[in-house]
Amino acid sequence: MNLRTILFHRLPGIIPLLFLTSVLSFGLVQLSPSDPAEVALRLNDITPTPEVIAETRVRLGLDQPLPIRYFRWLDAVLHGDLGTSYVNGKSVAAELRQALPPTVMLAATAAVIMLTGGLLTALPGVLRPGSRTDRLTRIFLFLASAMPSFWLGLLLLQFLAVTLDLFPIGGMDGPVSLVLPALTLALPHMPAYARLLRAAMLRTARENFVHHDRARGLSPRTVMKHIFRNSLQSCLTALGMSLPRLMAGAFVVENIFAWPGLGRLCVTAIFNRDFPVIQAYVLLMAGMFIVCNLCVDLCAALLDPRQREGAAQ
């Protein structure tokens, strides 16, 4: 079975999931005790009298029953209209398009740091299991996994930006300003990937084909390349979900370093009760997880013919 056929088999299950995601992203905001019409008026410094609130509810379509409001919102979303911000009156889609590239750049850089650091910290445990270097590496991974992002970010700011003056404190001003936010975002996630890769490579190193490679006299580098390539299959899910997880978890880092991304936009919208922006953010993040999960399944089927045979059955 080719990848196109597998995709056609998966799509019928993805469409209801996307529909459920839209219901949840719309319904959760409706549970807020605040009246969206009153919030919109207060954010624009307008006195919320009963007459003005009633007029605003009609203008925003809040006087309609909830199912009608949902399907009107869903129809607008399908046509690319995510609504209008209560704070500045701008299109939510335009706000997301402006904030998405910095978040993608931050998450992609953090993913590269996470994968490179995870591989480098996993190799000592594969080459010399139980050695002193392996034990020190595992202690470092334990400490890194125990540090919250906000605390690590403050430490890096104090030491590298304030004390040593090596990096800017915040904002997006060239590649140098990307270093501290990316490190803060990547380090807490790196230990899980490093431990997963280490366990997979140790398990693969005991396979018969590895003993056969060594018996053939292949160089240690070639044998390690075979072990690494065959270990990626078990790590593929973690690899594929790294980017959306980093993007969804970047809101703390973006607020610490004043990074103009989606996370900072969402936190600002939460404080301002800007419901259209919150709805669009939740929908976008959930959709990214669903799409990335599908891409992981397709990549797994591409790398492992046994999965394609299983999908065909």
Side-chain angles (χ1 to χ4, degrees), residues 272-304:
N272 292 328
R273 292 184 175 88
D274 198 350
F275 296 134
V277 177
I278 298 172
Q279 284 178 334
Y281 178 82
V282 173
L283 185 64
L284 177 63
M285 288 296 107
M288 286 188 58
F289 273 97
I290 294 172
V291 172
C292 286
N293 193 23
L294 174 64
C295 294
V296 167
D297 292 340
L298 294 177
C299 291
L302 181 64
L303 294 176
D304 192 349

Side-chain angles (χ1 to χ4, degrees), residues 87-164:
V87 177
N88 50 28
K90 295 182 180 179
S91 169
V92 175
E95 295 271 341
L96 292 181
R97 282 195 297 268
Q98 183 178 0
L100 183 60
T103 299
V104 172
M105 181 170 57
L106 175 61
T109 307
V112 172
I113 295 174
M114 182 188 70
L115 299 180
T116 305
L119 177 60
L120 293 177
T121 51
L123 281 178
V126 178
L127 297 175
R128 290 184 174 181
S131 64
R132 178 180 299 179
T133 305
D134 183 28
R135 291 195 297 269
L136 292 176
T137 302
R138 294 166 70 179
I139 293 174
F140 166 75
L141 293 176
F142 174 77
L143 294 176
S145 63
M147 287 189 294
S149 296
F150 67 90
W151 187 63
L152 177 61
L154 294 176
L155 288 179
L156 292 177
L157 271 177
Q158 177 63 37
F159 182 66
L160 296 179
V162 177
T163 304
L164 299 180

Side-chain angles (χ1 to χ4, degrees), residues 37-303:
E38 184 177 351
V39 170
L41 291 173
R42 291 187 183 278
L43 289 175
N44 291 277
D45 296 327
I46 300 175
T47 303
T49 62
E51 295 78 10
V52 177
I53 291 177
E55 182 183 348
T56 305
R57 289 182 63 84
V58 173
R59 179 171 57 85
L60 296 177
L62 299 174
D63 58 328
Q64 300 292 329
L66 186 61
I68 295 178
R69 286 158 49 195
Y70 166 71
F71 284 108
R72 289 177 60 183
W73 173 79
L74 181 61
D75 179 68
V77 169
L78 293 176
H79 287 85
D81 183 9
L82 298 175
T84 304
S85 171
Y86 291 166
V87 177
N88 50 28
K90 295 182 180 179
S91 169
V92 175
E95 295 271 341
L96 292 181
R97 282 195 297 268
Q98 183 178 0
L100 183 60
T103 299
V104 172
M105 181 170 57
L106 175 61
T109 307
V112 172
I113 295 174
M114 182 188 70
L115 299 180
T116 305
L119 177 60
L120 293 177
T121 51
L123 281 178
V126 178
L127 297 175
R128 290 184 174 181
S131 64
R132 178 180 299 179
T133 305
D134 183 28
R135 291 195 297 269
L136 292 176
T137 302
R138 294 166 70 179
I139 293 174
F140 166 75
L141 293 176
F142 174 77
L143 294 176
S145 63
M147 287 189 294
S149 296
F150 67 90
W151 187 63
L152 177 61
L154 294 176
L155 288 179
L156 292 177
L157 271 177
Q158 177 63 37
F159 182 66
L160 296 179
V162 177
T163 304
L164 299 180
D165 196 20
L166 297 177
F167 301 98
I169 295 178
M172 188 175 67
D173 186 19
V176 179
S177 61
L178 186 61
V179 175
L180 291 185
L183 280 175
T184 305
L185 187 59
L187 287 180
H189 294 280
M190 187 181 70
Y193 174 73
R195 287 193 292 264
L196 182 63
L197 184 60
R198 178 181 181 274
M201 293 181 71
L202 287 175
R203 185 169 57 251
T204 306
R206 294 191 292 267
E207 296 289 339
N208 291 331
F209 76 89
V210 177
H211 299 305
H212 182 260
D213 286 347
R214 288 171 176 157
R216 289 167 55 198
L218 297 181
S219 64
R221 176 177 296 182
T222 304
V223 174
M224 185 57 62
K225 287 173 59 177
H226 290 173
I227 293 175
F228 175 70
R229 186 170 57 191
N230 287 275
S231 301
L232 284 180
Q233 180 62 41
S234 59
C235 304
L236 186 60
T237 302
L239 281 170
M241 299 307 292
S242 294
L243 187 60
R245 187 174 70 247
L246 290 172
M247 290 182 63
F251 66 95
V252 175
V253 176
E254 289 181 356
N255 280 274
I256 292 175
F257 293 95
W259 190 261
L262 286 175
R264 192 180 182 196
L265 177 66
C266 180
V267 171
T268 304
I270 291 173
F271 280 114
N272 292 328
R273 292 184 175 88
D274 198 350
F275 296 134
V277 177
I278 298 172
Q279 284 178 334
Y281 178 82
V282 173
L283 185 64
L284 177 63
M285 288 296 107
M288 286 188 58
F289 273 97
I290 294 172
V291 172
C292 286
N293 193 23
L294 174 64
C295 294
V296 167
D297 292 340
L298 294 177
C299 291
L302 181 64
L303 294 176

